[in-house]
Amino acid sequence: MGQSAALYARASTADQSCQRQIADLTAFANRCGYEVAGTFAETVSGAASRRPERDRIMRLARQRRIDAVLVTEVSRWGRSTQDLLATLHQLAGWNVSAVARNGLALELDTPHGRMMATVLAGIAQFEREPISERVKSGLAAARERGVKLGRQPGQRPKADRLAPKVLRAVDGGRGHRWIARDPVISENTVPAIVRRGRG
């Protein structure tokens, strides 16, 4: 029995079609002897954070129900170089390969795959540094204009957001320790919210 593969196709806009990619990937899978476990296609921007079809493939990989992910080209899979590296490391941890139609296998347990990962990591660093520089420049410009950055004295955005929930629980007879079982509320935060609410 051959290895099973998920086919992933992505188009950036609604006026584009994934059909050509699917046809190419199906032919590629047949040539390479993969059994197609599923075909997943979606129309979403390359930079979009939510990709439901790609998430479905990652679940299959985590469940060890596929051996490979086939894509027409690497850019169809990764949202960015950093995202590509992160998902490749996840797939490698589940012993799942990512294979582009040009034959490029991004397997991090091979010398070639590690070399590619090193190159991609360098590109990711190159992408991050200009973003960091732009953020720092923007913050400096804001300070020069007199904009106060960060949380100001007296501001408690998290506690203020949680206050109605905490006060309802107290009014319902719940103790501070019970309320603090909620992972987002610390035991010190509860009495502080109650003091301000009763004040």
Side-chain angles (χ1 to χ4, degrees):
M1 185 180 289
Q3 290 192 317
S4 61
L7 312 185
Y8 179 73
R10 181 183 63 79
S12 298
T13 58
D15 60 347
Q16 296 176 329
S17 171
C18 291
Q19 291 306 311
R20 182 64 193 172
Q21 291 179 53
I22 292 169
D24 289 344
L25 289 172
T26 302
F28 176 57
N30 290 336
R31 280 198 313 273
C32 297
Y34 286 107
E35 293 179 8
V36 177
T39 300
F40 303 83
E42 54 194 345
T43 301
V44 62
S45 161
S49 58
R50 288 200 70 252
R51 291 196 189 178
E53 294 302 298
R54 192 181 79 156
D55 292 343
R56 288 177 63 196
I57 292 177
M58 293 299 282
R59 282 195 294 274
L60 288 177
R62 188 172 63 245
Q63 295 163 2
R64 312 292 171 91
R65 293 168 60 188
I66 56 174
D67 301 297
V69 179
L70 306 188
V71 293
T72 53
E73 54 189 63
V74 172
S75 63
R76 298 293 95 192
W77 179 259
R79 295 195 304 267
S80 65
T81 311
Q82 198 169 358
D83 172 71
L84 177 63
L85 277 172
T87 52
L88 287 178
H89 277 289
Q90 284 182 292
L91 291 172
W94 302 321
N95 294 319
V96 175
S97 304
V99 184
R101 190 169 61 93
N102 62 5
L104 176 63
L106 297 169
E107 299 169 312
L108 301 186
D109 58 349
T110 66
H112 182 262
R114 286 193 293 273
M115 181 195 74
M116 285 300 300
T118 302
V119 171
L120 291 171
I123 294 171
Q125 181 66 28
F126 181 76
E127 289 175 340
R128 283 193 300 271
E129 284 177 359
I131 293 170
S132 175
E133 287 169 10
R134 285 196 296 271
V135 169
K136 288 175 183 174
S137 176
L139 292 173
R143 287 192 196 96
E144 286 174 10
R145 293 194 306 272
V147 176
K148 292 184 178 179
L149 304 171
R151 194 174 81 180
Q152 304 305 309
Q155 288 184 340
R156 305 174 189 87
K158 180 181 172 184
D160 291 344
R161 190 177 70 251
L162 296 169
K165 177 180 178 181
V166 169
L167 294 173
R168 278 196 305 273
V170 170
D171 291 341
R174 296 294 188 183
H176 293 186
R177 187 168 294 174
W178 187 93
I179 296 169
R181 287 166 53 192
D182 187 321
V184 299
I185 305 173
S186 75
E187 206 164 330
N188 294 330
T189 302
V190 176
I193 289 174
V194 173
R195 280 196 304 275
R196 286 195 298 276
R198 298 294 180 253

